[in-house]
């Protein structure tokens, strides 16, 4: 089984398209094509029902942490109960993302991304110590071409982006003894709540935008652009100010301590200089204003960058946001249902139409080659997930004249003595899932 580092398990076709792609492959007899569609339809319904229960459990545990809740709760949870529910939310969130073929972005990877420049050239910093819980997953690592202006020219640049990014954050309770500046205070986040967001098309190096405690600062280039020209402009100003500054000191000493101290300090000042002191002060002041104006201009350029950064953050959070908090669960559950069904359909189809027995490794490679050769789509198919799901789908196939109580449950997929995969034919597979549906609820 080939493992690809530059591919993802995500299948970029809908469930309906996968079904039609399998049928158009031409390996299913014409009289089996509708049976295959029927099997897929009942399979989709079964997984919709199965993942709906997962969604309800997730929403139930998330309820006390939901910052958008508009309902009242009669339950009064203890600290230990809340801790257990929080753990279930975080673990279930990660599991549903994995089922949707998302993969985690770990802290070290995030920190490396923060070190790179975003579209706005500013340094960003995230203090992960502000968070009690932080989960970040993504999907769709691709490149897109962005156009923007630089020096009155329109240039294009390829940017590495994530097509989907999901983030879960729970802030730490504020330490009452800590009076240091906390950027989370300005974001109005409540420490007792869990904040969840789903975004689309986020540049990899702009992922810092998604965190409420992001800090920005000047890059080394900005600092040099501010300091070096300022030093260059300051040198001639200082050379012009120093003689006049010494003269001012001499005048002050002359007025306060008398001429003897002026001679002792070898400072030149006379009554005529005293009369001209106002002009000297005004000249010196104008030079200082010139220097200050230059520094202010350089700092204003940095603040303009900062404003552009804030604008980009706002646009990212507004235009690229797909869902927030409890609304994210519904979207992710739909995606998990979609991905798991597509994987099962591909596995079942290739085992059903294969002329030879296939091991899991051979089946994995066959599906990847089939997707690439027929649809120019490269994926790193995750064979273990659908095989496990197919073996867990167990039910009874009751033939005419048989007693249901005497029939044992069998799985949809089994393995032979050589470790090769085997699936039930279409008619039996449909009957097995139909049995599961009929026994989904047991009432006396």
């Amino acid at each position: 089984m080939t493992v690809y580092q530059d591919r993802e398990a995500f299948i970029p076709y809908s469930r309906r398209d996968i079904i039609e792609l399998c049928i158009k492959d031409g390996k299913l007899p014409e009289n089996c094509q509708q049976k295959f569609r029927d099997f897929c339809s009942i399979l989709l319904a079964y997984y919709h029902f199965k993942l709906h229960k997962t969604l309800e459990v997730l929403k139930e545990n998330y309820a006390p942490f939901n910052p958008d809740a508009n309902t009242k709760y009669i339950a009064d949870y203890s600290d230990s109960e809340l801790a257990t529910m929080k753990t279930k939310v975080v673990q279930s969130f990660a599991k549903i993302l994995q089922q949707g073929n998302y993969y985690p972005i770990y802290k070290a990877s995030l920190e490396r991304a923060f070190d790179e420049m975003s579209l706005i050239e500013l340094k960003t910093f995230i203090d992960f110590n502000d968070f009690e819980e932080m989960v970040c997953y993504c999907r769709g690592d691709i490149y897109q071409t962005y156009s923007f202006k630089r020096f009155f020219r329109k240039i294009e640049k390829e940017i590495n982006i994530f097509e989907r990014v999901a983030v879960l954050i729970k802030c730490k309770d504020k330490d009452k003894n800590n009076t240091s500046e906390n950027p989370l205070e300005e974001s109005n986040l409540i420490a007792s709540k869990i904040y969840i967001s789903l975004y689309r098309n986020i540049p990899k190096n702009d992922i810092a935008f998604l965190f409420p405690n992001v800090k920005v600062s000047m890059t080394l280039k900005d600092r040099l652009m501010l300091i070096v020209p300022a030093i260059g402009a300051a040198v001639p100003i200082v050379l012009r100010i120093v003689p006049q500054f010494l003269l001012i000191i001499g005048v002050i000493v002359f007025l306060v301590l008398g001429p003897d101290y002026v001679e002792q300090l070898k400072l030149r000042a006379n009554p005529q200089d005293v009369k001209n002191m106002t002009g000297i002060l005004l000249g010196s002041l104008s030079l200082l204003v010139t220097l200050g104006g230059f520094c202010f201009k350089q700092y204003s350029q940095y603040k303009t960058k900062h404003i552009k950064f804030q604008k980009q953050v706002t646009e990212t959070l507004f235009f690229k946001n797909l869902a927030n908090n409890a609304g994210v669960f519904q979207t992710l559950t739909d995606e998990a249902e979609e991905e798991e069904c597509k994987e099962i359909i591909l596995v079942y189809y290739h085992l059903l139409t294969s002329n030879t027995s296939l091991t899991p490794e051979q089946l994995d490679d066959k599906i990847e080659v089939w997707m690439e050769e027929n649809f120019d789509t490269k994926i790193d198919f995750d064979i273990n997930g659908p095989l496990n799901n197919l073996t867990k789908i167990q039910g009874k196939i009751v033939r005419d004249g048989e007693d249901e109580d005497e029939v044992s449950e069998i799985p949809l997929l089994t393995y032979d003595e050589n470790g090769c995969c085997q699936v039930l034919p279409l008619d039996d597979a449909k009957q097995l899932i139909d049995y599961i549906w009929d026994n989904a609820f047991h009432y006396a």
Side-chain angles (χ1 to χ4, degrees):
M1 181 170 61
T2 307
V3 178
Y4 300 94
Q5 298 297 329
D6 58 342
R7 298 186 184 184
E8 295 184 31
F10 173 63
I11 303 170
Y13 293 93
S14 70
R15 293 178 297 189
R16 297 298 174 187
D17 286 342
I18 290 294
I19 295 170
E20 294 307 313
L21 289 173
C22 291
I23 291 175
K24 290 178 182 179
D25 193 36
K27 292 183 179 180
L28 282 172
E30 188 173 347
N31 64 334
C32 291
Q33 292 179 3
Q34 186 57 44
K35 291 181 180 180
F36 182 74
R37 288 192 179 95
D38 294 340
F39 164 77
C40 292
S41 295
I42 196 170
L43 177 73
L44 301 182
Y46 165 72
Y47 259 87
H48 181 76
F49 169 74
K50 180 181 177 181
L51 284 172
H52 176 73
K53 293 195 293 185
T54 302
L55 174 62
E56 290 302 311
V57 172
L58 189 53
K59 289 164 62 177
E60 180 181 344
N61 284 284
Y62 182 64
F65 306 104
N66 185 4
D68 297 332
N70 60 354
T71 53
K72 297 179 181 180
Y73 301 99
I74 59 174
D76 187 13
Y77 301 106
S78 65
D79 291 342
S80 61
E81 288 175 325
L82 288 173
T84 301
M85 295 172 76
K86 181 198 72 173
T87 301
K88 288 182 179 179
V89 168
V90 174
Q91 292 177 346
S92 300
F93 181 70
K95 182 180 179 182
I96 204 76
L97 284 165
Q98 291 166 3
Q99 289 177 299
N101 284 328
Y102 284 73
Y103 60 91
I105 310 177
Y106 297 106
K107 178 181 174 182
S109 299
L110 288 170
E111 289 175 338
R112 285 195 297 271
F114 299 157
D115 289 337
E116 300 293 331
M117 291 298 103
S118 64
L119 295 179
I120 301 296
E121 294 184 354
L122 286 170
K123 287 182 65 177
T124 56
F125 172 73
I126 305 293
D127 187 357
F128 290 104
N129 293 321
D130 290 335
F131 305 128
E132 180 181 319
E133 297 287 349
M134 194 282 294
V135 178
C136 186
Y137 275 71
C138 69
R139 192 179 71 187
D141 190 350
I142 65 172
Y143 283 86
Q144 278 190 354
T145 302
Y146 282 73
S147 300
F148 50 93
K149 290 184 178 180
R150 178 168 290 178
F151 300 113
F152 306 102
R153 290 189 305 119
K154 185 178 180 180
I155 64 174
E156 293 185 345
K157 184 179 179 181
E158 275 201 336
I159 303 294
N160 191 192
I161 72 166
F162 294 127
E163 291 184 295
R164 293 289 185 272
V165 178
V167 180
L168 178 149
I169 288 173
K170 185 179 187 303
C171 303
K172 288 182 179 178
D173 290 329
K174 182 181 177 183
D175 186 356
K176 296 180 180 180
N177 298 321
N178 183 8
T179 58
S180 61
E181 181 182 355
N182 183 4
L184 289 173
E185 292 180 356
E186 298 180 1
S187 63
N188 297 318
L189 299 187
I190 304 172
S192 61
K193 303 299 181 181
I194 296 177
Y195 296 85
I196 304 174
S197 296
L198 181 65
Y199 299 94
R200 64 178 178 86
N201 297 338
I202 301 296
K204 182 180 290 187
N205 296 332
D206 289 348
I207 202 166
F209 296 175
L210 310 183
F211 292 86
N213 63 336
V214 59
K215 293 181 181 179
V216 297
S217 61
M218 290 185 182
T219 64
L220 178 60
K221 177 183 175 182
D222 287 327
R223 290 189 174 95
L224 292 176
M225 289 293 292
L226 179 63
I227 296 172
V228 174
I231 293 175
V235 170
I237 293 175
V238 170
L239 292 176
R240 293 173 61 185
I241 288 177
V242 167
Q244 296 178 351
F245 184 69
L246 292 175
L247 182 58
I248 292 171
I249 293 176
V251 171
I252 293 173
V253 172
F254 179 84
L255 293 174
V256 176
L257 302 176
D260 293 337
Y261 282 92
V262 174
E263 294 177 0
Q264 185 177 352
L265 295 174
K266 297 181 180 181
L267 297 172
R268 56 185 183 86
N270 54 57
Q272 186 62 32
D273 292 332
V274 176
K275 295 179 181 179
N276 295 333
M277 187 176 66
T278 302
I280 294 171
L281 289 172
L282 291 175
S284 301
L285 181 62
S286 66
L287 294 174
L288 290 173
V289 169
T290 301
L291 177 59
F294 178 81
C295 294
F296 179 76
K297 177 184 176 182
Q298 297 297 111
Y299 182 73
S300 296
Q301 291 177 353
Y302 161 72
K303 294 300 292 183
T304 300
K305 274 189 177 183
H306 193 284
I307 293 171
K308 287 182 179 179
F309 178 86
Q310 295 296 339
K311 179 176 180 290
Q312 189 169 347
V313 171
T314 302
E315 290 178 349
T316 297
L317 299 180
F318 184 79
F319 294 107
K320 297 185 177 183
N321 179 266
L322 295 175
N324 289 309
N325 301 323
V328 176
F329 298 146
Q330 184 67 59
T331 302
L332 292 180
T333 302
D334 287 343
E335 292 185 352
E337 176 187 328
E338 186 92 0
E339 289 302 297
E340 294 214 330
C341 288
K342 288 187 289 187
E343 291 171 349
I344 290 175
I345 290 169
L346 285 173
V347 166
Y348 183 80
Y349 168 77
H350 282 87
L351 289 175
L352 186 68
T353 58
S354 178
N355 296 323
T356 59
S357 299
L358 298 172
T359 64
E361 292 78 12
Q362 293 169 336
L363 178 58
D364 183 279
D365 291 337
K366 183 175 183 178
I367 293 173
E368 290 171 350
V369 171
W370 185 77
M371 291 293 294
E372 185 172 358
E373 289 181 348
N374 291 279
F375 313 108
D376 195 26
T377 301
K378 297 180 180 180
I379 62 172
D380 184 15
F381 193 75
D382 179 14
I383 192 65
N384 295 319
L387 290 181
N388 290 334
N389 287 329
L390 281 167
T391 56
K392 290 178 181 177
I393 300 177
Q394 299 188 13
K396 294 182 179 181
I397 301 176
V398 182
R399 312 293 182 185
D400 291 339
E402 291 182 334
D403 185 355
E404 181 179 326
D405 294 334
E406 296 179 355
V407 177
S408 300
E409 289 191 353
I410 59 173
L412 191 53
L413 180 142
T414 56
Y415 298 90
D416 64 16
E417 62 276 4
N418 297 318
C420 295
C421 306
Q422 297 177 330
V423 292
L424 297 176
L426 278 170
D427 289 330
D428 290 346
K430 288 168 55 181
Q431 188 174 349
L432 183 142
I433 299 183
D434 183 61
Y435 172 84
I436 296 173
W437 262 117
D438 292 342
N439 292 272
F441 296 97
H442 294 278
Y443 296 109

